[in-house]
Amino acid sequence: MSLSTISGLSQKSVGTVAILAACACVSIANIISKDLLVPASVLPMVFVQVMASVIVVGIAAVATGRVPPRRDVVKLALPGILQPGLTYVFAFVGLSLVPVSVAGLLYASETAIIAVFAWVLLRERLTQSTLLSLGLGGIGVAFLTGAGTSDAGFSALAVLLILAGISCAALDTIVARYLVRQSDPVTMTATSLPVAALVVALAMLVTGDQSWAFLNEPSTLAGLVISGLLLHGLATILFNYALARLEANEAAALFPTISLMTALGGVGLLGERLSLVQVMGGAAILSSSVIALWRGRHG
């Protein structure tokens, strides 16, 4: 085995570890957030989470000399509109309305959604295995959310909001994969976060009066800061770092670990319960991602 091959494998291994660490950060942050989110205050809470990362990551970028050149500011800032901007505006409004275990399993559909974007935007061929993955993912979402039944316990709108957030995240993965070749992960994250904060602020203006009562609760505020740093700061840096070493589809195939960790956390830590049908739906979604991973490795 040549040195270049060993180096390539090493880079992929480092990227894989970074993705898995990022997935763990996202899962922990989702569980913390679910325990804190109040429907009337979701957007202000998301704003606090994002701003915590804006400040900390911004300071880190300045301290380490990772401030972007002026010519690159706009290019690196725009992805913040997608993630964490629109991604978490949609996803956390939905998360406040559904069990975190259900939301966690829904996140597994991101792998299939990325495959669709890769087909449309990158002209990657949709193989039979990809179509099977997409079909299983769709069936899984239907089972998991109780589509067509009256016992789902939450609205279809909540599910659509989460899927909209996941779609924004999937598109961001493709954009970030392109940009990370030209920039540093910390620089990218620090530049995009202020735009994300602006997106959340605009969403608050559009939706009207918001409740900021949680600011008077130190424990809630501390939880939001910690979850925000994990979700929008550390996880984003790790994702960007990994995307410099992995293809978008290779990275996306590992995203279902977010679903597994989050769902298990919701059941084990928050006392949530999944019905047999929902478990079957979650298994179908995870299976769709395994197929996507197999496709990514075997073409």
Side-chain angles (χ1 to χ4, degrees), residues 115-202:
V116 173
F117 281 135
W119 172 54
V120 174
L121 299 177
L122 303 180
R123 297 291 186 257
E124 291 186 4
R125 188 166 59 93
L126 275 179
T127 63
Q128 290 183 344
S129 59
T130 301
L131 292 173
L132 177 59
S133 173
L134 295 174
L136 273 174
I139 292 171
V141 169
F143 278 18
L144 183 65
T145 59
T149 69
S150 58
D151 58 356
F154 45 85
S155 70
L157 176 60
V159 173
L160 290 175
L161 286 168
I162 292 175
L163 291 177
I166 293 169
S167 297
C168 289
L171 184 56
D172 177 75
T173 297
I174 291 177
V175 173
R177 170 61 184 158
Y178 170 76
L179 291 177
V180 79
R181 301 171 184 173
Q182 311 166 35
S183 185
D184 174 83
V186 175
T187 302
M188 285 180 59
T189 305
T191 310
S192 64
L193 280 171
V195 177
L198 179 60
V199 170
V200 179
L202 291 174

Side-chain angles (χ1 to χ4, degrees), residues 275-296:
S275 69
L276 177 59
V277 172
Q278 288 177 318
V279 170
M280 291 170 59
I285 292 175
L286 292 174
S287 297
S288 76
S289 297
V290 170
I291 292 172
L293 174 60
W294 178 86
R295 169 184 169 273

